[in-house]
Amino acid sequence: MPGLIRGVARTAVVAGTATAVSNRVSRRQQGRWAEQASQEAPQQQVRYSEPAAAPPSDDMSSKIDQLKQLGELKSQGVLTEAEFETQKSRILSS
């Protein structure tokens, strides 16, 4: 009986050690992958350009229409306050 217990204990130690080593290898590998992903992420970012400004127009009614459309977009939540102000100043300065 003591030989059987010794064999079971040895098996448990080997299995526990193998599990610990496997977990450590997995954590190190995940850390490396995360590091690589963080280094590659800035290179893969898509840069969006701002939408082209409306063509310059001296017609005041055209500017008023554009300002109304901007106001509607802002009220719908499409534009933030800062975006609204930026676009409004572009329209008024053209």
Side-chain angles (χ1 to χ4, degrees), residues 74-85:
K74 181 183 169 217
S75 66
Q76 294 172 358
V78 175
L79 293 177
T80 64
E81 183 67 33
E83 293 170 330
F84 173 77
E85 291 297 326

Side-chain angles (χ1 to χ4, degrees), residues 60 63-64 66-67 86-94:
M60 188 56 107
K63 289 182 181 182
I64 292 172
Q66 291 175 352
L67 289 172
T86 302
Q87 294 299 323
K88 183 174 87 170
S89 65
R90 283 185 182 173
I91 291 171
L92 293 175
S93 68
S94 63

Side-chain angles (χ1 to χ4, degrees), residues 43-64:
Q43 297 169 356
Q44 295 176 354
Q45 288 180 347
V46 177
R47 299 186 187 246
Y48 296 101
S49 60
E50 291 188 27
S57 173
D58 293 331
D59 186 26
M60 188 56 107
S61 63
S62 174
K63 289 182 181 182
I64 292 172

Side-chain angles (χ1 to χ4, degrees), residues 6-46:
R6 195 175 313 143
V8 170
R10 184 179 304 141
T11 302
V13 168
V14 169
T17 303
T19 301
V21 170
S22 175
N23 288 340
R24 182 171 181 208
V25 169
S26 293
R27 282 192 304 269
R28 289 178 69 195
Q29 192 173 30
Q30 287 175 350
R32 287 180 187 153
W33 289 342
E35 185 179 318
Q36 287 176 349
S38 67
Q39 290 174 355
E40 293 173 0
Q43 297 169 356
Q44 295 176 354
Q45 288 180 347
V46 177

